[in-house]
């Protein structure tokens, strides 16, 4: 049984002129110890999807199953218990830590909240242990966030997320705000932690090259929908959806003479009450009248799903 | 003579009550007509400060140029009085900023913003209608329909706003364009569109550019020459071929390439550079990278390596042929 399963999950936000379809019918499975990379450009609904799967915001429709149980039906008490097992690491280590709390207070807060440590001494030991796990020197224990650089702040955020030994962590662009040399340190740390503790990640990012390193499976999102999902190797070797291909060819590679494919034209269309059919069609070179019809994710071969008319069987 | 722009030993400091931040420490490079040089480095490497120094736009209260020369078409920009500099900015040298959301004026229509620099510099005392025609032409050049010139920045997407910024910078047909992370705030597909546009401009208008970026992928696409910056110094410079295909590299350049997540990479793990950039208020005497360098030797701790500003130059004691000793 999958650790986390999203079933036809939807989130619509009411705006002045209608409903903004932030997440529109996404289904995904994440197994224990695996990393699902969720990739897409700004506004595709990837952060909303992360928050929905932790029930930090309420879904408009659909289910979030944790070991087969729909957590959207849990009452407050059960939800509170479940939160121990589900954590999030935020993008911006500058704004996601309370500037008036020292490192010790930040990391110990979840432990205190859930009464995870018997006394002050074990609490201190646990916090120091967590700092060691994420590679933070012990002498930072009384430091405040503004006294640290971005990489160390992100390590504090990770230690806080690990405090209650969660089974599932949503990583929402955890390295986007960091410089490349620091980014590599944090990505390696996240991979090492997963090897040691076996938790599952939902890794949200706009950067396909980052996701290639850390993910075992990848879901590509466009305007609130998942357009393609497959194992990482398979997706990079055999991308099917025209949007996935466009994304791959748009990445500037650090070598010369890369034969860049065609640059896709246009921009993401309006997410407010979108027309039925494929949402990528206005920018797609292969679009035809049939793209206005009902297009769903269909399995092409072992675990490789794509939502595109070009591959539809009927 | 010969180079359009030649920077020699540029030094910039930021002073505050408590400390002096040495942001740029002896940067030298040159740029020829119609070519693009990439300034590459991480946060705090001094890329933007170098650019602001060239434009003489450093914050007046804190920023100071403490040494060096900026020769532009044979004249030292640092010796120009402020009034003369105003005639250079926007007309001969212009700049594209990183964030298209904040670098445009929200209460002025995009057409008027582009027109502003034409009016200020009134290069060839154009008539009003000639200026309107030029605004239309500039908008079309960056693929924005000219009928939208009466609209305001908030009515445009991020990619379009950045293209408006490019149109503004190009209004007076500058000979040098400084682009400070022009695509960093954009999505990859939009970034690809903007890069394609800039490459086209380079070919069509023969504008020289300084491309400031932290992304070696962007460099590979558009630059002819590359200068890698670290802690306010150029640690390596050369042609794109030297940087991407040569075997010889500064250890920092080597580290940067190892740390980039790449689509072509075979292994899952990345090779980060251990440690952090040195504190710019308290820089080491010797090589600034020594503390993080795996090839570190005794000499690195007390003598700063030097390098030329031509050809493929590496400021590292390992490549002793280029050594100039302490400065």
């Amino acid at each position: 049984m999958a650790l986390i399963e999203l079933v036809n999950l939807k989130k619509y936000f009411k705006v002045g002129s209608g409903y903004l379809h932030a997440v529109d019918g996404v289904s995904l499975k994440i197994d224990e110890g695996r990393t699902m990379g969720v990739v897409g450009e700004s506004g595709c609904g990837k952060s909303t999807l992360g928050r929905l799967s932790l029930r930090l915001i309420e879904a408009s429709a659909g289910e979030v199953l944790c070991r087969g149980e729909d957590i959207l039906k849990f009452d407050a008490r059960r939800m509170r218990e479940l939160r121990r097992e589900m954590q999030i690491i935020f993008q911006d280590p500058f704004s996601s830590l309370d500037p008036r709390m020292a490192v010790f207070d930040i990391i110990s807060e979840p432990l205190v909240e859930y009464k995870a440590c018997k006394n002050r001494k074990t609490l201190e030991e646990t916090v120091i242990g967590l700092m060691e796990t994420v590679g933070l020197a012990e002498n930072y224990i009384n430091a405040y966030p503004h006294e640290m650089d971005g990489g160390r702040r992100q390590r504090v955020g990770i230690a806080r997320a690990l405090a209650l030994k969660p089974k599932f962590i949503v990583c929402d662009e955890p390295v986007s705000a960091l410089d490349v040399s620091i980014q590599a340190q944090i990505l390696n740390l996240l991979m090492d932690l997963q090897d040691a503790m076996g938790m599952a990640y939902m890794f949200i990012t706009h950067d396909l090259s980052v996701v290639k390193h850390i993910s075992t499976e990848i879901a590509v999102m466009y305007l609130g929908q998942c357009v393609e999902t497959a194992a990482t190797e398979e997706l990079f070797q055999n991308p099917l959806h025209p949007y996935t291909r466009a994304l791959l060819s748009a990445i500037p590679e650090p070598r010369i003479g890369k034969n860049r494919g065609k640059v896709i034209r246009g921009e993401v269309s309006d997410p407010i009450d979108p027309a039925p059919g494929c949402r990528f069609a206005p920018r797609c070179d292969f679009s035809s009248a049939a793209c206005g019809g009902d297009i769903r994710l269909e399995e092409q071969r072992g675990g490789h799903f794509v939502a595109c008319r070009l591959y539809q069987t009927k | 003579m010969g180079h359009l722009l030649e920077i020699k030993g540029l030094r910039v400091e930021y002073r505050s009550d408590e400390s002096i931040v040495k942001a740029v420490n002896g940067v030298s490079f040159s740029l020829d007509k119609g070519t693009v040089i990439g300034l590459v480095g991480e946060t705090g490497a001094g890329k933007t400060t170098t650019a602001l120094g060239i434009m003489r736009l450093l914050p007046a209260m804190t920023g100071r140029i403490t040494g060096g020369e900026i020769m532009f078409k044979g004249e030292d920009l640092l010796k120009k009085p402020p009034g003369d500099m105003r005639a250079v900015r926007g007309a001969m040298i212009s700049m594209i900023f990183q964030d298209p959301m904040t670098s445009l004026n929200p209460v002025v229509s995009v057409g008027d913003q582009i027109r502003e620099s034409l009016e200020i510099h009134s290069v060839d005392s154009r008539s009003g209608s000639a200026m309107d025609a030029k605004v239309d032409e500039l908008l079309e050049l960056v693929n924005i329909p000219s009928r939208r010139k009466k609209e305001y920045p908030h009515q445009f997407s991020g990619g379009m706003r950045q293209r408006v910024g490019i149109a503004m910078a190009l209004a007076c047909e500058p000979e040098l364009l400084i682009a400070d992370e022009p695509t960093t705030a954009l999505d990859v597909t939009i970034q690809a569109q903007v890069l394609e546009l800039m490459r086209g401009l380079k070919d069509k208008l023969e504008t020289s550019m300084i491309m400031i970026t932290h992304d070696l992928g962007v460099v590979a696409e558009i630059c002819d020459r590359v200068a890698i910056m670290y802690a306010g110094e150029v640690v390596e410079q050369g042609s794109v071929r030297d940087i991407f295909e040569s075997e010889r590299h500064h250890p920092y350049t080597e580290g940067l390439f190892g740390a980039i997540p790449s689509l072509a990479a075979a292994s899952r793990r990345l090779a980060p550079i251990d440690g952090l950039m040195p504190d710019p208020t308290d820089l080491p005497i010797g090589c600034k990278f020594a503390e993080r360098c795996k090839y570190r030797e005794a000499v690195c701790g007390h003598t700063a390596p030097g390098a030329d500003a031509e050809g493929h130059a590496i400021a590292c004691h390992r490549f002793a042929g280029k050594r100039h000793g302490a400065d």
Side-chain angles (χ1 to χ4, degrees), chain A residues 292-306:
Chain A
D294 189 21
I295 290 162
R296 297 163 184 279
L297 274 179
E298 273 187 23
E299 187 161 13
Q300 294 303 309
R301 51 171 158 163
H304 192 160
F305 292 81
V306 63

Side-chain angles (χ1 to χ4, degrees), chain A residues 98-118:
Chain A
D98 187 334
R100 303 184 14 156
M101 284 168 83
V103 169
F104 177 83
D105 300 319
I106 295 171
I107 300 177
S108 64
E109 195 178 24
L111 296 165
V112 174
E113 182 63 30
Y114 280 90
K115 301 188 175 64
C117 296
K118 281 195 274 326

Side-chain angles (χ1 to χ4, degrees), chain A residues 41-42 179 192 212 260 267, chain B residues 43 157 187 221 263 269:
Chain A
E41 297 181 276
S42 30
D179 275 316
D192 291 343
K212 180 168 192 231
R260 176 197 275 286
E267 290 169 11
Chain B
T43 316
S157 67
D187 277 319
E221 290 224 350
L263 291 179
R269 279 189 73 86

Side-chain angles (χ1 to χ4, degrees), chain A residues 54-88:
Chain A
L54 296 177
R55 205 181 163 191
L56 292 176
I57 48 177
E58 293 294 334
S60 307
E63 294 170 6
V64 177
L65 307 179
C66 179
R67 297 190 195 91
E69 281 189 281
D70 186 1
I71 68 166
L72 302 184
K73 299 205 172 76
F74 280 17
D75 59 17
R77 192 187 52 79
R78 282 197 76 186
M79 208 51 227
R80 188 184 144 84
E81 266 318 295
L82 186 69
R83 295 221 177 276
R84 282 170 170 270
E85 298 190 79
M86 305 173 110
Q87 293 290 330
I88 183 165

Side-chain angles (χ1 to χ4, degrees), chain A residues 35 41-42 149 152 179-185 187-188 191-192 194-195 206-210 212-216 236 243 246-248 250-256 260 263-267 283, chain B residues 42-43 157 159-160 163 187-193 195-196 199 214-218 220-221 240-241 244-245 256-257 259-265 267-276 292:
Chain A
T35 300
E41 297 181 276
S42 30
D149 60 273
R152 291 210 175 88
D179 275 316
V180 277
S181 68
I182 308 300
Q183 174 178 315
Q185 295 173 5
L187 286 175
N188 281 348
M191 290 190 265
D192 291 343
Q194 187 175 47
D195 290 343
H206 66 280
D207 190 336
L208 268 170
S209 28
V210 165
K212 180 168 192 231
H213 280 270
I214 199 162
S215 306
T216 46
F236 279 90
Y243 178 62
L247 260 189
L248 282 168
I251 301 172
E253 275 278 287
R255 58 194 161 91
I256 39 181
R260 176 197 275 286
V263 173
I264 51 169
R265 55 205 156 90
E267 290 169 11
R283 300 173 79 184
Chain B
E42 299 179 88
T43 316
S157 67
M160 288 180 106
R163 283 183 273 158
D187 277 319
V188 274
T189 59
I190 307 302
Q191 163 172 297
Q193 292 170 0
L195 284 178
E196 194 175 59
R199 217 172 15 227
H214 64 276
D215 187 338
L216 282 163
V218 169
E221 290 224 350
V240 270
R241 276 193 188 282
F244 288 91
E245 288 174 357
L256 261 190
F257 275 100
I260 307 173
S262 161
L263 291 179
S267 93
R268 264 190 94 198
R269 279 189 73 86
L270 295 156
I273 308 172
D274 288 332
L276 298 167
R292 303 171 76 180

Side-chain angles (χ1 to χ4, degrees), chain B residues 63-205:
Chain B
R64 253 187 205 83
I65 295 174
T66 55
E69 287 176 10
I70 299 173
M71 304 299 289
F72 179 69
K73 300 199 332 187
E75 272 188 285
D76 190 351
L77 293 184
L78 298 181
K79 297 213 172 79
K80 279 192 183 281
D84 292 4
M85 203 50 217
R86 208 170 290 154
V88 171
R89 277 195 291 265
M92 285 187 259
I93 307 180
S94 61
M95 194 155 172
I96 303 170
F97 296 92
Q98 170 169 358
D99 185 355
M101 310 292 155
T102 55
S103 58
L104 297 178
N105 187 336
V107 295
V108 177
S109 73
V110 299
D112 286 350
Q113 296 196 47
I114 296 172
R115 198 187 154 107
E116 192 182 10
S117 62
L118 290 171
E119 280 169 3
I120 289 170
H121 295 290
S122 57
V123 198
D124 42 8
S125 55
R126 290 171 211 265
S127 66
S129 60
M131 270 195 258
D132 285 340
K134 180 72 183 171
V135 169
D136 291 357
E137 184 195 319
L138 284 161
L139 281 170
E140 300 286 348
L141 182 72
V142 296
N143 307 324
I144 294 175
S146 54
R147 64 187 148 77
R148 297 194 63 181
K149 68 181 165 188
K150 296 243 156 59
E151 295 181 16
Y152 291 85
H154 75 268
Q155 291 166 290
F156 292 87
S157 67
M160 288 180 106
R161 273 183 247 193
Q162 194 55 294
R163 283 183 273 158
V164 170
I166 295 173
M168 279 169 71
L170 290 173
C172 296
E173 291 160 23
E175 287 163 83
L176 174 62
L177 188 60
I178 302 176
D180 188 1
E181 304 260 13
T183 60
T184 307
L186 307 175
D187 277 319
V188 274
T189 59
I190 307 302
Q191 163 172 297
Q193 292 170 0
V194 170
L195 284 178
E196 194 175 59
L197 171 73
M198 293 185 75
R199 217 172 15 227
L201 294 173
K202 171 190 155 191
D203 297 340
K204 212 176 339 180
L205 308 176

Side-chain angles (χ1 to χ4, degrees), chain A residues 139-191:
Chain A
N139 57 0
Y140 282 99
I141 196 159
N142 292 317
Y144 285 87
H146 75 269
E147 297 174 285
M148 290 182 287
D149 60 273
R152 291 210 175 88
R153 273 184 253 204
Q154 199 56 293
R155 286 175 199 268
V156 174
I158 295 171
R160 172 176 66 182
L162 291 177
L164 293 166
K165 302 196 177 68
K167 287 274 179 270
F168 176 54
I169 303 183
V170 173
C171 309
D172 189 359
E173 303 258 17
V175 296
S176 308
L178 306 175
D179 275 316
V180 277
S181 68
I182 308 300
Q183 174 178 315
Q185 295 173 5
I186 299 294
L187 286 175
N188 281 348
L189 171 67
L190 288 170
M191 290 190 265

